[in-house]
Amino acid sequence: MAERILVTGGAGFIGSHVAEGYLAAGHDVLVLDDLSSGRRENVPAGAGWVGADVRDAAAVEAAFRSFRPTVVNHHAAQKSVTASVREPVLDADVNVLGLLNLLQASVAHGVRRFVFASTGGALYGSGAPVPVAEDFPPAPDAPYGLSKLAGEQYLGLYGRLHGLESVILRYANVYGPRQDPYGEAGVVAIFCGAVLRGKSCVIFGDGRQTRDYVHVADAVASNLLALEGPPGAYNIGTGVETSVNRLVEELRRVHGGPVAVEHAAPRPGEVRRVALDVTLARERLGWAPRIPVAEGLAQTYAWFREHLGRERAGERAGEPAVAPAASVPATAVAAAAGPAYATATRPGDRPDRPAPPGGGARRVRKAVVPAAGMGTRFLPATKAQPKEMLPLVDTPVIQLVVEEALAAGVEGVLLVTGRNKRAIEDHFDRAPELEYLLAQKGDLAALEAVRRLPGDGVIHYVRQREPRGLGHAVLAGRHYVGEEPFCVLLADEVFEGPAMGAVLEAYDRVGATVLGVKRVPPEETSRYGMVAVEGEGPLYRVTDLVEKPEPGTAPSDLAIVGRYALAAEIFGALERTPPGRGGEIQLTDGLRLLLAEGHPIYGLELPHRRFDVGERLGFVVATLARALERPDLRDGLARWLETEGRRLLEQS
Ligand code: NAD
């Protein structure tokens, strides 16, 4: 049933995402916000708008009278812990009296349900166990935690006195696109902002303090489920502790370069470890976090790179390097948030393209993904389905590769398919009956997973009539690509992190062909194209290429892996390349010809972990690694590996 939902704080970070999520699910939304920290531009198109303070009882009453909400979702708050210590009266004024205004109006206007953004990080206090569950008695260390606790208590009381149902969401550290990179909290946004402005990340203390980071898309999903699930208070986190040092490491990985760090004195009274036990939300709301920190951080970084880069272009001397990230149109943010994000995006909508460092347009706009191989290594599984559709946990490999290309900033992807590959086209197509059924069942997480797939206008297909080698498959993309540089991703390889993005950034720097390379042990050289290089890494100048040399004869230990940024001249070179091994046209041979004709080629040594999912062992390992990154699977699988897995290993 479509609800009429009043979202307070809907111009802020989390509230604006929540408003989008509700709109996408077909509800009517009115945002009420005083813009004290939010931005008008964040309010999604399609939502109504009231600029008012929740402490203004008359304005609140007027909004209720005209909008007649069935649900109130309360995100407006004084949210700073340190400000609450400095100004506890103001904190209570906004967080307690403001809430009371909304509760009074909710009762007067027959609101069915009240959803309240509380805190898991600041509520339980420094004596809490790790992870902490909802039944641990709260003992906040600051007025902010106490005013949220008071809010929770008022909700309980209004339930008992007036029958007002409420769902309380005790958030861990929420992060994601549009968070304020200048705030005192929100370390992910602050670090992304610092790195992109060439500043140091300031770590208070030794950096080993941990927090539970939950992606805003997962928080949105909990707000959707809160419309119907059983009333109560629920922890919304991941249960996973991540240290500040680990965040910096991840940031180095996604940034693909050095990240400067400065240590400052530890903050007095700072809690050492925080993680929320989310079993109750899982069992009663049917909610689970879906986005691992590594993936969420990569998305968030890509978003900030795009939007801070854009704002830098308009920066004026003497002003801060960036305006708050919130000044970006809501739709762009929604699309860029990536997987599992509940928004108004539709199949075919495109995330804004991440810009290369320093602004300007990405030179490579198109990707080619050969997907015509037979997959004989996986028979009988691949007898009637394409090997590219084999899933790592629940996501087909081809989807991961397409998402990597789009996250790297290309506008369109050409899939080179062949006979027996129609399931790939079906996968990226709409499935109206399935979407209808999921919507009826209220399975919004599955619905979003199906809807967020890129589709029309982004994915293109060409069929290769006979598989005649990688060079031949790349040539099949000539018509689509035209006379411009492009990139190639092999669907047999999956990387932990934005490998294609790193190669494209290198292309933008050198303006010539760049091959992703990785070091391999000597006994494996006969499985790869190997390169001879000169210069300093990680971006080497390639001086020669050899296709699959026998062990001991390779020119170096650097192997070409499946991420390429290619100059358009490769097409002509491939046409002039005679068939090599097995009558196939090899891409390496074409590259060699290009090199011989004087075109520069570079090899970028990729730091990202790579899985060869075209091999059975690599596929199994990639599946396990991906499952271990997933908060919904990690603990169960780790337990199984340590007990049953170990037993099986000892028996075999
Ligand atoms: P935010 O500052 O981006 O959003 C808060 C919004 O509320 C802003 O748009 C602001 O203008 C508005 N607002 C503030 N005071 C108001 C008032 N008196 N009247 C009307 N509007 C007012 O913050 P956020 O990080 O999106 O947090 C949203 C909610 O989630 C808050 O209630 C916060 O306490 C809670 N929370 C956030 C986190 C987190 O990690 N970000 C963690 C736990 C809880």
Side-chain angles (χ1 to χ4, degrees), residues 8-15 32-39 52-55 74-79 94-95 116-121 144 148 169-175 178-179:
T8 72
F13 161 49
I14 306 174
L32 186 147
D33 197 304
D34 71 350
L35 301 183
S36 49
S37 61
R39 305 279 293 221
D53 190 322
V54 287
R55 292 170 294 177
H74 184 34
H75 272 75
Q78 187 302 109
K79 63 153 200 281
V94 176
N95 291 0
F116 177 53
S118 186
T119 167
Y144 167 74
K148 287 285 182 184
L169 302 171
R170 292 179 178 169
Y171 293 137
N173 284 48
V174 185
Y175 71 96
R178 220 188 281 159
Q179 194 166 22

Side-chain angles (χ1 to χ4, degrees), residues 385-404 415 423-428 449-450 452-454 491 493-494 613 619 623 626 630:
Q385 66 168 332
K387 66 171 175 168
E388 296 81 7
M389 284 299 294
L390 296 178
L392 295 187
V393 187
D394 51 15
T395 308
V397 168
I398 189 77
Q399 182 181 331
L400 294 172
V401 170
V402 165
E403 285 173 351
E404 184 189 336
L415 300 182
I424 297 180
E425 290 172 38
D426 289 341
H427 182 71
F428 288 108
V450 170
R452 74 179 165 83
L453 286 165
E493 297 177 36
V494 170
V613 294
F619 185 84
T623 306
R626 198 167 162 79
R630 289 256 301 244

Side-chain angles (χ1 to χ4, degrees), residues 230-450:
Y234 301 98
N235 284 345
I236 299 297
T238 62
V240 178
E241 286 179 77
T242 304
S243 70
V244 178
N245 291 336
R246 170 85 205 281
L247 274 188
V248 172
E249 260 170 50
E250 286 296 335
L251 201 54
R252 279 200 182 104
R253 196 168 61 81
V254 297
H255 178 56
V259 166
V261 163
E262 256 173 54
H263 282 269
R267 282 192 284 206
E270 190 182 18
V271 184
R272 193 75 184 148
R273 295 173 60 200
V274 179
L276 303 183
D277 181 339
V278 295
T279 312
L280 200 64
R282 199 188 298 270
E283 288 175 358
R284 300 190 64 198
L285 285 183
W287 175 85
R290 291 170 53 93
I291 304 180
V293 150
E295 187 180 323
L297 185 76
Q299 283 171 14
T300 307
Y301 174 81
W303 185 88
F304 275 107
R305 188 179 58 189
E306 162 79 355
H307 293 98
L308 292 188
R310 200 188 282 171
E311 290 178 6
R312 240 196 333 255
E315 186 184 312
R316 272 180 288 152
E319 285 188 350
V322 283
S327 64
V328 170
T331 43
V333 179
Y341 191 73
T343 68
T345 50
R346 293 281 174 267
D349 287 359
R350 280 283 295 113
D352 276 9
R353 300 165 63 211
R362 172 79 80 219
R363 294 191 218 190
V364 172
R365 302 185 310 130
K366 295 175 179 174
V368 172
V369 179
M374 304 277 280
T376 47
R377 289 195 187 104
F378 289 92
L379 283 169
T382 48
K383 178 165 175 279
Q385 66 168 332
K387 66 171 175 168
E388 296 81 7
M389 284 299 294
L390 296 178
L392 295 187
V393 187
D394 51 15
T395 308
V397 168
I398 189 77
Q399 182 181 331
L400 294 172
V401 170
V402 165
E403 285 173 351
E404 184 189 336
L406 295 176
V410 302
E411 290 172 355
V413 180
L414 178 76
L415 300 182
V416 183
T417 66
R419 274 189 300 283
N420 225 353
K421 300 281 184 177
R422 214 165 289 158
I424 297 180
E425 290 172 38
D426 289 341
H427 182 71
F428 288 108
D429 199 358
R430 292 279 312 247
E433 303 82 358
L434 177 64
E435 287 179 24
Y436 177 76
L437 278 175
L438 292 171
Q440 291 290 307
K441 268 177 56 191
D443 191 345
L444 295 171
L447 180 62
E448 199 45 42
V450 170

Side-chain angles (χ1 to χ4, degrees), residues 25 44 62 79 81 88 113 131 140-141 174 263 268 318 346 431 441-442 461 534 552 621 649:
K79 63 153 200 281
V81 174
R113 180 167 282 221
D141 297 318
V174 185
H263 282 269
R346 293 281 174 267
K441 268 177 56 191
Y461 302 91
E534 63 183 23
V621 171
L649 198 59

